[in-house]
Amino acid sequence: MPLSDDNIDKLKISMSDRYDVAAKFLDLENLYHDKNLNKSGIRLPLNKPNVMTAILNIIIENIPEIEGMSLKNNILYDLNRFSEHVSRFANLKTLDLSDNKLNHLNYVDSFSKIEELQLKKNPVAESPSDLTYVSMVRKTFPNLLKLDGVILPPLISFDLGTTTELPPTLGNVFIVPEAKEIVIKFVNEYFGIFDSSDRQKLIGAYHENAVFSMSAFNRNDSNRRDNTQ
C-alpha cells in the first residue's frame, strides 16, 4: 500500500534535513528511528517495499544529481527494490550498506558506477578470507576503488591489443605411467593448498635455498633461447 500524502510530505521534510547539498549526499541511516518522523507518530521501516519506493521516487523527482547515499542500519535483507531505480541515479558513486542483513549481492547489476562502498557488518561480508571477499565484491562493482574504508589495489589487466591464436596444445611426455600418476597427484595437492586461504602448509615443500626457474623456447627460431632465473 502506498504511503499517504501526509506521510510523504513529512518524509520529504526529513529527507531534506538529511541531505547534504554541498556533498550531494543523502543520509538515510536508521530511518525507522528518525526523530522528526517519530515526533509525528510516524515510523517508516526502509526495508518495506512501499517505503523504499516512496523514498526512491522522492530522490528521482527532487535530487537526481545525488552522488552518495547511506542506507546503513535499516535491516535490509536484499536490494531488489533499490536496484530497480538505481540506474536512474547517473552520478551515484558512494554507497553505504553497512550494518544490515545482506546475505548476497543479487539484484545489484546496476551498481557498476559505484566507486566507494561500505558493506561491513553484513553476513555477505563474513567471507573466509579478505581476498575472497574483495574478489566477490569486485565482480559486482567493477569500478570499485574503496571497500569498507580501505583503498583497493588496481586490478591487473593485460592489454593484448589484437587477438592472437594460441598454438595447439601438446600431449604429455611421460614415458613411465607411474611417473604421470605421481606428478598429477603432486600438482593437484600443491595447487589445492596454494589456492586455499592458508599457504603455510607448503613451506615444507621448499628447500631453504630454493629458487624459481623458467625457460622459454621459440620453436620458430631454433637458434634463440630465452632463459629467466
Side-chain angles (χ1 to χ4, degrees):
M1 179 182 296
L3 298 184
S4 66
D5 292 340
D6 182 61
N7 283 358
I8 289 179
D9 288 339
K10 288 183 170 60
L11 178 58
K12 286 181 179 179
I13 294 173
S14 177
M15 290 176 63
S16 178
D17 293 337
R18 287 168 169 261
Y19 185 63
D20 185 330
V21 177
K24 298 180 181 179
F25 187 90
L26 178 61
D27 185 1
L28 294 175
E29 178 181 351
N30 197 13
L31 183 67
Y32 185 78
H33 293 102
D34 181 275
K35 293 181 179 179
N36 292 329
L37 293 174
N38 293 169
K39 287 179 180 178
S40 301
I42 300 173
R43 292 188 179 274
L44 300 177
L46 190 58
N47 58 5
K48 297 297 183 182
N50 60 336
V51 177
M52 179 67 81
T53 298
I55 286 176
L56 294 174
N57 287 335
I58 292 172
I59 295 173
I60 293 169
E61 294 171 3
N62 297 275
I63 48 174
E65 72 282 359
I66 188 172
E67 295 182 3
M69 186 184 309
S70 174
L71 302 178
K72 180 179 180 180
N73 192 18
N74 278 291
I75 318 181
L76 297 177
Y77 287 89
D78 63 60
L79 300 172
N80 188 9
R81 190 60 56 120
F82 184 70
S83 64
E84 292 176 359
H85 299 272
V86 73
S87 60
R88 302 177 68 175
F89 308 142
N91 301 315
L92 187 63
K93 296 181 179 180
T94 302
L95 185 62
D96 188 346
L97 298 171
S98 61
D99 204 5
N100 279 293
K101 304 294 183 181
L102 298 173
N103 287 295
H104 55 75
L105 293 178
N106 298 341
Y107 313 117
V108 291
D109 295 339
S110 303
F111 289 73
S112 59
K113 295 182 180 179
I114 297 297
E115 296 179 355
E116 184 172 346
L117 176 69
Q118 291 281 355
L119 265 181
K120 56 189 177 183
K121 294 186 179 181
N122 277 285
V124 72
E126 298 174 0
S127 177
S129 70
D130 292 339
L131 184 61
T132 303
Y133 171 52
V134 172
S135 178
M136 173 194 65
V137 174
R138 271 184 151 171
K139 288 180 180 179
T140 305
F141 301 86
N143 292 319
L144 199 62
L145 301 177
K146 183 183 290 188
L147 175 61
D148 296 335
V150 178
I151 297 177
L152 300 178
L155 288 171
I156 298 175
S157 61
F158 300 93
D159 185 6
L160 300 178
T162 58
T163 302
T164 303
E165 186 175 337
L166 297 176
T169 58
L170 301 177
N172 67 66
V173 294
F174 293 108
I175 299 176
V176 181
E178 291 78 7
K180 177 181 178 181
E181 294 178 5
I182 294 173
V183 171
I184 291 177
K185 181 180 179 181
F186 170 79
V187 170
N188 287 335
E189 292 182 0
Y190 178 89
F191 284 103
I193 298 173
F194 187 85
D195 292 336
S196 70
S197 59
D198 182 13
R199 295 179 179 174
Q200 293 296 317
K201 299 176 182 179
L202 292 176
I203 292 179
Y206 291 89
H207 187 275
E208 60 180 6
N209 296 321
V211 296
F212 175 78
S213 178
M214 180 180 69
S215 296
F217 175 58
N218 186 347
R219 291 188 301 164
N220 295 326
D221 184 0
S222 59
N223 295 320
R224 190 181 73 182
R225 289 175 180 267
D226 295 324
N227 295 295
T228 302
Q229 291 188 345

